[in-house]
Amino acid sequence: MAQFDVHAYKGRQRADVAYVVLVQSALFDDYRRRVVVPLVRLSAVPKGASVLGSRLNPVFQVLGVDVVLHPLDMVSMDMVALGEKVTSLAEQGQAIAGALDELFTRSWG
């Protein structure tokens, strides 16, 4: 598993959450859990939501599905609970890292 790999989401919210993207560093690959961020179907986001396309919530396309990165729902999952790897967002890694920076920045207090 590599950082920014995208996995099919198998959980209860799969109607809204299409995939999860692995965000943790390879430094922690020996651990049995992986930190992932949900990729929510764009169609599941309320119309007119101000978060779309923001630094915190960039929009991507994964296998023809428009998805929104949702770092406020970031979670740690056991590796065996991850669905199959379907693709990688490594080329969009800077946007994903920027979203996490936005989430964790201390500039606003």
Side-chain angles (χ1 to χ4, degrees):
M1 294 180 187
Q3 190 175 43
F4 308 125
D5 279 355
V6 175
H7 294 263
Y9 180 68
K10 302 186 304 184
R12 291 177 294 194
Q13 296 174 320
R14 67 183 163 268
D16 292 338
V17 178
Y19 307 102
V20 294
V21 60
L22 178 71
V23 295
Q24 81 181 37
S25 166
L27 292 173
F28 306 105
D29 279 354
D30 289 341
Y31 192 60
R32 65 180 175 80
R33 299 187 68 84
R34 296 293 182 265
V35 177
V36 298
V37 176
L39 295 169
V40 177
R41 294 175 195 277
L42 185 59
S43 60
V45 177
K47 300 291 185 229
S50 62
V51 299
L52 293 180
S54 68
R55 184 169 185 225
L56 181 65
N57 301 104
V59 177
F60 305 109
Q61 192 171 81
V62 174
L63 302 177
V65 178
D66 291 323
V67 294
V68 179
L69 187 75
H70 206 285
L72 288 173
D73 284 338
M74 184 169 31
V75 67
S76 170
M77 295 178 68
D78 194 301
M79 286 175 33
V80 298
L82 286 175
E84 67 180 272
K85 176 189 170 188
V86 297
T87 192
S88 172
L89 286 176
E91 289 185 15
Q92 289 81 23
Q94 189 59 47
I96 295 168
L100 298 178
D101 286 347
E102 184 78 5
L103 178 65
F104 293 121
T105 187
R106 294 180 52 116
S107 64
W108 296 103

